[in-house]
Amino acid sequence: SSSLHNNAEEAYGWFQKAAVGGHTDAMCALGILLQYRNLLLQFDNDDDDSKDENSKLKQQYHGKQSSKSDVDAAIRWFRSASNVGHVRGMYLLGRSLYERVISFQKKSTSSSMLMKRNIDTDVRNKEEQQEREDLEEATRLLNLSCYEHEIHEACMNLGLMYEYNLVIVDKYDDSNSNNDDSTGNQQHHTATTAADLYQRAINLGSIDATYHLGLLYTYGRNGVSQNFVLAVDLFRRGALEYRHA
């Protein structure tokens, strides 16, 4: 509704004032709002009696933001919080960096984007370098957030990076030094590492990790054998304990 839109705009203004003043929690809140502000627009047309008003609001809202600029702005605020040691900011920055890479890769699969990048290889080379830097920093921050600060969302997101081959460096895997098989720890991008991270996230209280680990056992992948018994147990746990899956 329009009231929801107005509330979001008002929240944005207050968070921005606090963030500019150095309030790290506000920096994180502002970044989250920037990331998900488009989602709020889905509610604008729920009230048929205010379609005209909502249409104007939506036009105004779209006119002053774009998806990419919002994501980039959110990352800047998360980085500001992370740079002064805000633990949640570190996690949010790491997650946002690898999600930005995924988002760009999805968009780049369109034929028009493929044609554009084939023509301008210099631009693509710069984009690939930026993607690598983003993934490297995301790996470092999520490792730190998972193993040092025990943020369960960080463990789950790091697990997703391993499962889908987004971890591109191995120098940050020292956080796994409690494992005896140091040779195995050098083999990145494996689903076995993802499974360990999902389990760690579950142990720390993650809801979503039960679902992702259940899927991993349902299909099997790169060293993780299919295990329908474990998968069903995880889905049941998610459904009964967390009302998830």
Side-chain angles (χ1 to χ4, degrees), residues 19 22 31 36-37 49 74 82 86 114 164 174 177 202 208 212 215 235 239:
Y36 297 107
R37 69 194 304 182
D49 295 332
S82 177
H86 193 278
L114 286 172
Y164 295 102
D174 294 340
S177 59
I202 292 170
D208 292 334
H212 289 291
L215 283 180
F235 290 143

Side-chain angles (χ1 to χ4, degrees), residues 1 11 16 21 41 43 47 54 91 110 188 193 205 236 245:
S1 67
Q16 187 175 43
L41 297 176
F43 300 98
D47 188 354
N54 286 330
Y91 155 66
S110 67
H188 295 278
T193 305
R236 182 180 291 114

Side-chain angles (χ1 to χ4, degrees), residues 50-181:
S50 59
K51 276 187 176 180
D52 292 338
E53 179 187 1
N54 286 330
S55 178
K56 292 178 182 177
L57 285 169
K58 183 178 289 188
Q59 184 177 6
Q60 179 185 11
Y61 211 24
H62 276 297
K64 64 179 180 180
Q65 61 87 31
S66 67
S67 176
K68 184 180 184 304
S69 65
D70 273 356
V71 170
D72 291 344
I75 286 174
R76 287 194 294 272
W77 283 115
F78 293 148
R79 189 181 301 281
S80 295
S82 177
N83 287 344
V84 294
H86 193 278
V87 173
R88 195 74 182 172
M90 294 179 191
Y91 155 66
L92 290 169
L93 176 58
R95 188 194 71 182
S96 300
L97 286 169
Y98 94 82
E99 285 182 345
R100 179 168 68 178
V101 172
I102 292 174
S103 176
F104 179 81
Q105 289 178 345
K106 286 181 179 179
K107 292 178 181 178
S108 68
T109 57
S110 67
S111 58
S112 59
M113 286 290 290
L114 286 172
M115 290 177 61
K116 180 179 179 181
R117 288 207 313 279
N118 285 337
I119 294 172
D120 196 343
T121 55
D122 288 339
V123 171
R124 182 52 189 157
N125 288 337
K126 291 179 180 178
E127 291 171 348
E128 289 177 346
Q129 178 62 30
Q130 183 61 57
E131 288 176 10
R132 181 179 179 85
E133 291 174 1
D134 283 353
L135 292 176
E136 182 175 349
E137 187 174 11
T139 302
R140 178 182 65 81
L141 291 167
L142 291 178
N143 264 290
L144 182 65
S145 300
C146 173
Y147 289 102
E148 284 198 26
H149 302 294
E150 297 190 332
I151 298 177
H152 63 75
E153 301 101 321
C155 298
M156 191 205 72
N157 280 277
L158 187 59
L160 287 169
M161 289 187 69
Y162 273 101
E163 183 175 357
Y164 295 102
N165 296 331
L166 293 172
V167 178
I168 60 173
V169 293
D170 54 20
K171 62 183 179 181
Y172 301 120
D173 210 36
D174 294 340
S175 51
N176 284 320
S177 59
N178 57 320
N179 296 331
D180 293 332
D181 186 4

